[in-house]
Amino acid sequence: MVRMLNNSDLIIPDWPAPSNVHAIQTTRQGGFSKAPFKSLNLAAHVQDHPITVAKNRQLLNQFVPSEPVWLNQVHGINVIDAGLSACVQDADASFTTQANVVCVTMTADCLPVLLCDKQGTAVAAIHAGWRSLCDGVIEHAVRAMGVEANDLLAWLGPAIGSDAFEVGFEVRQAFIEKDANATQAFQPHANKWLANLYLIATQRLNHVGVKAIYGGGACTYSSPERYFSFRRDGMTGRMATMIWLAKPSSD
């Protein structure tokens, strides 16, 4: 059954961001898509009908000041200035210092990370899948924002939890080769390992000087009614995590 998008379908990050920093996390609830993309699929690359995806994206218009700057996410470390973006660029993070420019990342198990500075002058949205997280997409985004890292706040959105994200030896080894402390984020599980994306992201943020970190802990895999999960379902939709700077009032 199709249902329009309501406030209750959205998550508003709980973090002490400045009043002009606005952010929204969608869930899978409140859109037009049919199974297996039911119902608020926002991705155009997952074999959902393009017109349906466009209708789902239009539902966001009441919540955002402009069309989000959608990315073609490639599990890399490229970071773009969303205010200068042309078409749909290959990137896994975007930032802006301009008002009413909406940065967005799409996920369905990968970790969405939002950043803002305490003065409310810059924001960023990061797609932190394990590959991009390992290769340094968070670090690249922090540098691209052009503000002091210790002046940043971070919010970690819904991702596959540490009880569900099973990986092989090579994934664990790739992280440890970048940072020996990553061993803390892996627990043995049969012949594989369970990985904690939230802990790894926290380690990476701390390493570059970001200490104020919020969110974390919501597992996409274990909440099928609320979240899309690629690891759980294979063919499925994508959620959006959006952030922008509100335009100052003219009053």
Side-chain angles (χ1 to χ4, degrees), residues 99-119:
N100 291 349
V101 173
V102 181
C103 297
V104 59
T105 182
M106 291 186 294
T107 60
D109 281 339
C110 294
L111 175 64
V113 180
L114 298 180
L115 299 174
C116 74
D117 70 325
K118 297 174 183 177
Q119 286 70 44

Side-chain angles (χ1 to χ4, degrees), residues 25-28 40-43 70 104-109 158 220 226-229 237-241:
Q25 167 74 54
T26 69
T27 64
R28 71 179 301 163
L40 189 64
N41 168 48
L42 297 167
W70 304 99
V104 59
T105 182
M106 291 186 294
T107 60
D109 281 339
T220 50
R226 187 138 174 91
Y227 302 120
F228 294 117
S229 169
R238 299 294 186 273
M239 301 168 293
T241 313

Side-chain angles (χ1 to χ4, degrees), residues 21-174:
V21 173
H22 294 195
I24 292 173
Q25 167 74 54
T26 69
T27 64
R28 71 179 301 163
Q29 300 166 340
F32 296 97
S33 296
K34 298 179 180 179
F37 310 107
K38 183 182 179 181
S39 57
L40 189 64
N41 168 48
L42 297 167
H45 68 285
V46 296
Q47 301 182 43
D48 195 1
H49 197 288
I51 293 177
T52 304
V53 176
K55 290 170 65 177
N56 286 340
R57 290 184 176 185
Q58 286 177 349
L59 292 174
L60 298 177
N61 290 346
Q62 61 184 308
F63 301 101
V64 297
S66 62
E67 176 73 10
V69 180
W70 304 99
L71 306 176
N72 181 36
Q73 298 171 177
V74 294
H75 297 275
I77 57 174
N78 191 34
V79 182
I80 66 163
D81 184 336
L84 303 176
S85 176
C87 297
V88 181
Q89 293 186 238
D90 291 350
D92 283 271
S94 63
F95 74 96
T96 189
T97 58
Q98 299 181 37
N100 291 349
V101 173
V102 181
C103 297
V104 59
T105 182
M106 291 186 294
T107 60
D109 281 339
C110 294
L111 175 64
V113 180
L114 298 180
L115 299 174
C116 74
D117 70 325
K118 297 174 183 177
Q119 286 70 44
T121 66
V123 294
I126 305 169
H127 171 240
W130 79 259
R131 291 179 180 85
S132 52
L133 182 59
C134 184
D135 289 339
V137 68
I138 286 177
E139 295 89 332
H140 278 71
V142 169
R143 287 196 292 270
M145 292 178 73
V147 298
E148 292 294 327
N150 61 9
D151 204 33
L152 289 175
L153 309 176
W155 183 77
L156 310 182
I160 189 168
S162 58
D163 292 335
F165 190 31
E166 187 179 74
V167 300
F169 168 83
E170 71 284 355
V171 173
R172 177 178 180 270
Q173 192 61 29

